[in-house]
Amino acid sequence: MTRPLWVEIAGYVASFLVFSAFYMKTMIPLRSVAIASNVAFLTYGLAGRLYPIAALHAILLPLNVLRLRQMRSLIRRVKDASTGSISGEWLIPLMTHHRYPAGHVLFRRGDEASRMYMVLEGTVRLEELGVAVPRGQLLGEIGLFAPENARMATAVCETEVEVGEIPDEKVLQLYYQNPEFGFSLVRLVIGRLLENQRLPGAPSPTPRPRVTG
C-alpha cells in the first residue's frame, strides 16, 4: 500500500532530527531535538502502520521529557547558587554517603585529589589551617584544581561525621556540561583561597612527588 506523501516527509524529518540529536554537543538542545524526533517518528509510525517504531518512540518520548525537566531543574538550581554562596545541597543525590568515626583522616596534605566532599553531619577539621568545616559545607574542591591535583591540607573528622562523596570525573562532567555550575565552583574555590590567605601560617599547595623511570 502506497503511503501518503506527508507520511514519507514525516519519516525523513524524523530521521533528520535523529541525526541532529547525535550532532548536538550539549544536553538541553540534544534532549529538545530528541523529543521532536520522537514526536515525528510517532506520527510516522502510526500513520504508516509501523507499530514497532511507534511503540519505541512512545516509550522514548516521556523519558526524554523527564530528562529534559531534570536537566533544566539542575541548571536552575545552579543559577540560584551562582548568584550567592553555593551550598551544594543539590549535589547530594549525586553523591555516595559514608560515615566515619572521630579522628578518621579523610585525606592528607599532598594526597591526590580524586573526589569532592560535602559534610552532611558532624564537623571536619583542616589541620594546617586550623579551620572547622561544619555541616552543609563542601570540602576538598580546591584540590581538584590545584597543581597536580594535590591536597592543600589534611582533613580530619573532629566528630563522628557523615559525608557525601562525588568523584572528580563527575565533578568535571558537570563543570563542562553546565557553565553555571563551573562558574559557581570557580567562585567557591577563589573565595576559599582568599580566605585561606588571610589565615596566619596558611600553607601553599604541596605537589605530589613525580615518579620517573
Side-chain angles (χ1 to χ4, degrees), residues 95-98 116-120 162-166:
M95 293 178 162
T96 56
H97 296 198
H98 299 277
M116 186 170 67
Y117 301 86
M118 182 175 181
V119 181
L120 303 176
E162 180 182 357
V163 297
E165 301 179 5
I166 182 169

Side-chain angles (χ1 to χ4, degrees), residues 105-125:
V105 178
L106 285 177
F107 52 81
R108 297 185 184 277
R109 183 184 177 190
D111 286 351
E112 180 182 2
S114 60
R115 60 194 63 245
M116 186 170 67
Y117 301 86
M118 182 175 181
V119 181
L120 303 176
E121 290 183 17
T123 304
V124 176
R125 188 170 186 82

Side-chain angles (χ1 to χ4, degrees), residues 129-149:
L129 299 175
V131 172
V133 182
R135 178 182 180 276
Q137 294 296 311
L138 290 173
L139 174 67
E141 75 289 340
I142 294 178
L144 299 180
F145 295 91
E148 300 191 16
N149 296 108

